[in-house]
Amino acid sequence: LEESTFTNNAAEAAEGAQFGEAAFVLTETTSTVRKIAVGVPTTDEQLADEPMVSGYLADRLEFMLRQRLDSQLLVGNGSAPNLRGVLNVSGIQTTAKGSDPTFDAAYTALNLVQSTGRAEPSIFIFHPNDWAAIRTTRTSDGLYILGNPSESGTPRLWGLPVVTSTACTENTGICMDTSFSILAEREGINIATGFVDDDFSKGRVHVRGTLRAAFAVTRPAAVCSITGI
């Protein structure tokens, strides 16, 4: 259920007085479970001669699946068999950096999520190249605005944790309240082996990995993109 309208009529009330009536408009929406799949061929000899090959292939296929899921959650276009990613959800807010400093544009997005989205932003997401430019911003006398390079810990901007992902569209950032997004994994990562065509007679094996998931944003206004970074 997508929350398109939120009316808060909570108020102080005298004993026996009428309660303020809240109002929600909930629109039933559907997010189809989609499959992400990948495979790689190997041989009987590779699997038999080197014990680590099987584990290596499983680990790398799992990484590939998670990397692709990351991309789908951010920029998937929603056309089958794609998920609809955050940046392509109808109704999300957006703000253009324009001539403003990136810090100001990020705060504008944070404020829009709070004031218009009636949500509490919990995260910023940037492409690593964009975050590198933000993180290395210095004052006129050479001091790093976001702290000394020797400092450790979670990167933060305006008090919120920052996540970087190569799946995020470059020059576009995201500020959002993640409590209004749902990732439902219908099937977790499944690694299997099998034969294709005449593989068995040639001593070849295919290792494949799959996962199935659905994704939905229940309050689009709780997301704001920042363009032109």
Side-chain angles (χ1 to χ4, degrees):
L1 294 175
E2 180 181 304
E3 184 181 291
S4 55
T5 298
F6 168 80
T7 303
N8 181 0
N9 282 326
E12 299 70 31
E15 183 177 350
Q18 181 69 37
F19 286 16
E21 185 173 303
F24 304 95
V25 175
L26 301 176
T27 304
E28 184 176 343
T29 58
T30 299
S31 178
T32 304
V33 174
R34 302 296 190 189
K35 179 171 69 175
I36 300 175
V38 65
V40 63
T42 184
T43 64
D44 292 344
E45 290 81 3
Q46 286 177 322
L47 294 175
D49 294 347
E50 180 49 69
M52 70 167 286
V53 168
S54 179
Y56 169 78
L57 292 178
D59 287 345
R60 298 310 287 160
L61 292 180
E62 179 174 350
F63 173 78
M64 292 176 182
L65 292 170
R66 291 294 182 192
Q67 191 175 51
R68 185 59 185 176
L69 178 61
D70 190 26
S71 174
Q72 287 284 289
L73 296 180
L74 293 177
V75 299
N77 61 23
S79 298
N82 294 276
L83 295 170
R84 186 171 302 282
V86 168
L87 289 175
N88 289 313
V89 171
S90 177
I92 69 167
Q93 302 188 78
T94 187
T95 183
K97 174 185 176 296
S99 59
D100 293 335
T102 302
F103 295 116
D104 292 10
Y107 193 82
T108 297
L110 183 154
N111 182 61
L112 285 171
V113 171
Q114 287 181 318
S115 60
T116 303
R118 303 296 294 272
E120 280 302 319
S122 56
I123 195 171
F124 279 106
I125 304 172
F126 295 102
H127 188 281
N129 291 341
D130 295 330
W131 176 244
I134 297 170
R135 180 62 183 87
T136 56
T137 302
R138 290 179 287 179
T139 63
S140 58
D141 54 354
L143 297 177
Y144 288 96
I145 290 177
L146 292 181
N148 194 295
S150 65
E151 294 180 0
S152 60
T154 302
R156 304 186 76 84
L157 181 62
W158 294 116
L160 301 182
V162 172
V163 171
T164 59
S165 172
T166 54
C168 189
T169 302
E170 200 163 351
N171 304 124
T172 299
I174 301 170
C175 180
M176 64 184 294
D177 182 342
T178 56
S179 67
F180 291 102
S181 60
I182 300 171
L183 172 62
E185 290 197 14
R186 177 63 181 83
E187 293 180 16
I189 291 178
N190 178 37
I191 304 295
T193 58
F195 304 104
V196 179
D197 300 327
D198 59 350
D199 278 351
F200 181 77
S201 63
K202 294 181 179 179
R204 295 187 303 210
V205 179
H206 277 253
V207 183
R208 75 178 196 186
T210 58
L211 69 80
R212 297 175 64 221
F215 178 69
V217 176
T218 58
R219 188 189 292 177
V223 178
C224 186
S225 67
I226 311 159
T227 60
I229 294 174

